[in-house]
Amino acid sequence: MRVAVLASGHGSNLQALLDAFRDPDAAAAVALVVSNKAGAGALERAAAAGVPTATIAEDGRDAMRLLALLAEHRIELVVLAGYLKRVPDDVVRAFRGRMLNVHPALLPAFGGPGMYGRRVHEAVLKSGARVSGATVHLVDEQYDHGEIVAQWPVPVRADDTPETLAARVLAVEHRLLPAVVLAFARHGAAPGACDPASAAGAPAVSLPRSLDDALAAR
Ligand code: GRF
């Protein structure tokens, strides 16, 4: 399955996908990386892996260019991995059921407009929650709102800072996202035909077996 990754920043989730699908026989492959930031680390990671890259306008609103890029590269699944702009509705509609986002908290809590990066983990710590986690969900026309496909819990420690919690959640994202993409590749990702329940079936990439393992993954 040909996957496009949209990223605005560092690209560690992209790197997890590149690493997971490095084998040419893998059921999925990152076929295109698009960023709204010309200097994004994600673009460098893609180039280093020999994956085609493209940039779009910083506001991310050029739906026609985005649709043309996705068609040109015969993309079947779009993954938002640290992409900070809202995807134009025309693109969301064209990829209904075939566009995923990864969020560093247990949605529907701690999500929505402006809830990204450090702010998410600050809000989790301020809330007193004892468990946070990673979420992969289908993208719809609202931020962090589409149907949840998979989540994995991450314990919050009494001495956590936003940075230590972010690092522990990110390590789990790096396992959860490739597992979900692989599940989509195995179950097909036709528009609307995707049944998140089935797509979140037995992931092929080993997830942390327990919270201790997730903790150890920090
Ligand atoms: C991740 O925490 C992801 O959940 C959020 O943005 C961050 C991206 O990090 N959407 P990276 O650019 O993949 O390293």
Side-chain angles (χ1 to χ4, degrees):
M1 182 176 64
R2 295 176 61 82
V3 179
V5 177
L6 274 57
S8 304
H10 187 55
S12 71
N13 272 295
L14 164 66
Q15 191 63 55
L17 293 169
L18 291 170
D19 296 346
F21 306 138
R22 190 177 299 281
D23 183 333
D25 296 333
V30 178
L32 173 68
V33 174
V34 179
S35 183
N36 64 318
K37 294 277 191 184
L43 292 173
E44 293 167 19
R45 293 175 186 270
V51 172
T53 63
T55 54
I56 57 175
E58 203 279 335
D59 66 9
R61 291 190 186 150
D62 191 342
M64 297 314 291
R65 171 157 167 73
L66 200 42
L67 285 169
L69 283 166
L70 297 173
E72 177 190 347
H73 291 269
R74 306 189 317 284
I75 298 306
E76 299 166 85
L77 179 71
V78 178
V79 176
L80 311 185
Y83 185 66
L84 296 182
K85 296 296 181 185
R86 217 169 62 71
V87 177
D89 289 353
D90 286 349
V91 184
V92 171
R93 275 193 285 272
F95 281 84
R96 182 86 62 197
R98 298 187 294 159
M99 186 179 292
L100 296 170
N101 180 47
V102 58
H103 183 75
L106 294 178
L107 294 175
F110 308 113
M115 285 302 278
Y116 58 85
R118 193 176 199 278
R119 295 179 189 174
V120 175
H121 307 292
E122 283 174 341
V124 169
L125 294 176
K126 188 176 178 192
S127 77
R130 303 301 297 138
V131 178
S132 187
T135 299
V136 178
H137 64 94
L138 290 170
V139 173
D140 65 11
E141 288 80 356
Q142 298 176 54
Y143 275 114
D144 302 332
H145 177 264
E147 193 161 351
I148 290 172
V149 174
Q151 294 189 303
W152 191 267
V154 172
V156 178
R157 289 179 149 188
D159 60 350
D160 262 328
T161 64
E163 289 68 28
T164 57
L165 179 56
R168 196 175 309 125
V169 172
L170 192 59
V172 169
E173 291 174 51
H174 291 166
R175 286 171 171 75
L176 188 65
L177 185 58
V180 173
V181 171
L182 214 42
F184 266 68
R186 295 221 163 122
H187 292 271
C194 166
D195 166 8
S198 69
V205 173
S206 66
L207 291 174
R209 285 181 306 284
S210 70
L211 290 187
D212 292 339
D213 287 343
L215 207 57
R218 65 182 177 281

